[in-house]
Structure formats: C-alpha cells, structure tokens
C-alpha cells in the first residue's frame, strides 16, 4: 500500500507526524513517501503543487494531507499561493466527492459551544461536491469596468452530470445510515441551484427508500445550530459545503476533530483534516492531531481496504478521550491538557 504523505504548512507537519505514528503502530505493509506541498512546495520548487508532488500523488494508493496556507504567501499571485495546491490536487485527481462526518464524542459534549442536549450523540455526514462550483467556474478575475473602476468576478456553475454523481454518492451514503438526505442549495435566488435541485429530485426516483428534503443554505446554517440532530446526510455544492462543514465542526467541540475523505469515482482518495494550517499555533506542539488521525482511519476504510484497522483507530481515539486526554482546543475543567505529540502517543498506546 503506497501512501503519499503531503504534510504542507503550519501545523501540517506536526499533526501528520502523529497520524503516521498511529499508522505505523498497526504493523501493516505501508510504503510511505513524503513530498512538499503548499508554501513548502513553493519554497522547494517555486510552485505550491510541484510536478514531482503531483506525480507522487497520482501514483499512490492514497494521499494523507496535512494543511496548506501561510500569511507569508498572501501577497503572491493567486497561482503561487499555497491553497492552489489542494485545489489543484482535487481537480487533477478528480476528487469530486468530499465526505465530512461530524460526530460528537460522548466525552466532548461539554466542549461544544452548544448545550449538551442539542449536540449530545450527534452524527451527521456532509457530502460536499469538491471539483466544481464557483471555486473552479470560468471566467473569473479582476477587470476594469468602463468607468475605470476595478470589478472582481467569479462564476458559479454546475453541470447536470456533476450534480448527478455527487447526488448518487450522497444517496448511497444515506442508505448505509438513517436514510435521510437533505440537499442544500439557494434555489430561491440562483439558477445554478435551480438546476441542482431538479437533478437531485430526479435522482431521488432511483432511491425511493431515502427520505429527501431540500433546504436553502441560509436556513440550513440556522438549523445546524438550532436542531442539528434533524440531519442525517447533507449534500451540497463546493462553496456551501465549505462553509457548512466549518459550522458543523463546532457542534463537535472543535474544528480540530473533523476528518475528511475526498474520493474519485473509483474510491481512490485524499484524506485530510477539514481545518487549516493554523499558523498562529504552528510549531508549538499545541495542535489537535485527532482530525488527521481520524482522516488516516478513513483512508484505511475507503481506499486501503482495512475497515477493521480503521475501527481500531477510531476506538483508540475514543479511549484516549475517555481517559481524559485533551488538547487545548477541547480542554474542559477536570481533564488532562496535553500537546500534539502526547495526544498522538495516547492514541497509539490504546490501539
Ligand atoms: C477546506 C479549505 C479549502 C477549501 C481551502 C484551504 C482552499 O477551507 O478544505 O475546507 O476552501 O476547500
Ligand atoms: Mg474550509
């Protein structure tokens, strides 16, 4: 099993190191190769996604990704900025299906900003389309208008085929869960969303066992904090999914807890925490490695054919939490505050 490991920037290297520590404890035949990406790619090869890094990612069975982004590179042309690395990987590898599960561990109910009765036992899955929408739509740019003023523009677009394939992923996922799917759009305003809604509704005919509901994105943002347990699977476009998944992460206590899988049509994938590079705490051993460790578990399940190893990791994370281990982002009184490495070791020891 060849795993391409792309640690990236900021806290990326620290959290990925702990995920590898846990993976190595499994004693499975992994072949691990690292490559620079993001700001690190720019430093190494003048490109956030160096050709050698992309080639490695393409050749691997799975990709474990840390995080990219650093304010030091904010002044660069957009094509050289760290974020282009992850967007380029998603596009080049056709990783259109982004699974972002948000589960509240019993031990972390107190760490959520919401009341325990609202979030206790929460288990939702956000299925985010990842290679289309306003993220990639052309044309985009900054131009001069006739009055000489500058105008920024992006294009939101979705093809039927793109909506259909992500809808199918979501319907199939719902089938393995509580058989409830909520499709999120802004069909009261956007043409793109109107088409999205029509295509999802048409696809629903093939899934009569799934209860489908449509919801506007503003209402969904509100419902997620009002009564999140009404949801099972949420399917939405790239931009809305980006925003709603950050929101959903806070229901679980911390954005440091949410893993993700980005899959192509054949199940090959890239695995990364949904959080960013957190430059403010980078290199200080403070970051929560659990989202990355749980991403490694998703990798074992979805791309490497080792669901039992995935469960072992998830159980070990649960035990480490039960035994009181907490990084600063999920710390509550009466628990034991630890750093990145100690948390990784606590999980590895409980495998
Ligand atoms: C995410 C991130 C990325 C996105 C950034 C880093 C480009 O926020 O994975 O959610 O917007 O998709
Ligand atoms: Mg995001």
């Amino acid at each position: 099993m060849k795993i391409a490991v792309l640690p990236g920037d900021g806290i990326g290297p620290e959290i990925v190191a702990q995920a590898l520590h846990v993976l190595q404890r499994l004693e499975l035949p992994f072949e691990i190769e690292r490559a620079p990406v993001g700001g690190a790619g720019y430093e190494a090869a003048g490109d956030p996604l160096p050709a050698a890094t992309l080639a490695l990612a393409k050749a691997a069975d799975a990709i474990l990704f840390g995080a990219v982004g650093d304010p030091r590179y904010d002044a660069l042309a957009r094509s050289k900025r760290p974020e282009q690395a992850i967007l380029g990987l998603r596009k080049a590898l056709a990783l259109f299906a982004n699974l972002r599960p948000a589960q509240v561990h019993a031990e972390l109910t107190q760490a959520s900003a919401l009341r325990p009765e609202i979030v206790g036992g929460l288990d939702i899955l956000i299925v985010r389309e990842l290679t289309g929408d306003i993220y990639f739509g052309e044309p985009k740019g900054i131009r001069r208008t006739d009055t000489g003023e500058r105008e920024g523009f992006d294009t939101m677009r979705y093809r039927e085929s793109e909506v259909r394939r992500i809808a199918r992923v979501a319907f199939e996922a719902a089938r393995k869960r509580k058989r409830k799917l909520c499709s999120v759009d802004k069909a009261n305003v956007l043409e793109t969303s109107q088409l999205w809604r029509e295509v999802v509704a048409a696809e629903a005919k093939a899934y009569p066992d799934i209860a489908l509901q449509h919801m506007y994105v503003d209402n969904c943002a509100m419902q997620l904090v009002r009564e999140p347990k009404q949801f099972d699977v949420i399917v939405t476009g790239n931009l809305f999914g980006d925003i709603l998944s950050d929101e959903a992460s806070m229901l679980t206590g911390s954005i440091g807890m949410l893993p993700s899988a980005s899959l192509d049509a054949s199940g090959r994938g890239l695995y990364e925490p949904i959080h960013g590079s957190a430059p403010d705490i980078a290199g200080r051993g403070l970051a929560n490695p659990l989202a990355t460790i749980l991403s490694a578990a998703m990798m074992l399940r979805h791309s490497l054919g080792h669901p039992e190893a995935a469960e072992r990791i998830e159980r070990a994370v649960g035990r480490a939490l039960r035994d009181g281990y907490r990084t600063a982002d999920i710390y509550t009184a009466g628990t034991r505050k630890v750093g990145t490495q100690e948390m990784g070791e606590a999980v590895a020891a409980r495998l």
Side-chain angles (χ1 to χ4, degrees), residues 183-233:
S183 173
V184 173
D185 62 38
K186 187 70 185 171
N188 50 345
V189 178
L190 304 173
E191 294 300 316
T192 318
S193 283
Q194 181 61 44
L195 180 76
W196 174 283
R197 191 174 279 223
E198 282 172 29
V199 174
V200 173
E203 213 44 46
K205 301 207 168 69
Y207 298 91
D209 53 320
I210 309 293
L212 171 68
Q213 174 194 18
H214 300 277
M215 194 180 276
Y216 297 138
V217 62
D218 50 348
N219 184 24
C220 180
M222 185 269 278
Q223 295 296 339
L224 271 173
V225 289
R226 193 186 74 90
E227 197 196 337
K229 284 187 247 177
Q230 71 185 279
F231 297 107
D232 178 22
V233 180

Side-chain angles (χ1 to χ4, degrees), residues 211-267:
L212 171 68
Q213 174 194 18
H214 300 277
M215 194 180 276
Y216 297 138
V217 62
D218 50 348
N219 184 24
C220 180
M222 185 269 278
Q223 295 296 339
L224 271 173
V225 289
R226 193 186 74 90
E227 197 196 337
K229 284 187 247 177
Q230 71 185 279
F231 297 107
D232 178 22
V233 180
I234 291 174
V235 64
T236 190
N238 206 344
L239 180 63
F240 300 155
D242 179 45
I243 299 166
L244 294 178
S245 58
D246 266 33
E247 187 188 4
S249 75
M250 275 318 289
L251 306 173
T252 73
S254 165
I255 194 165
M257 293 300 300
L258 252 67
S260 81
S262 306
L263 307 173
D264 73 4
S266 67

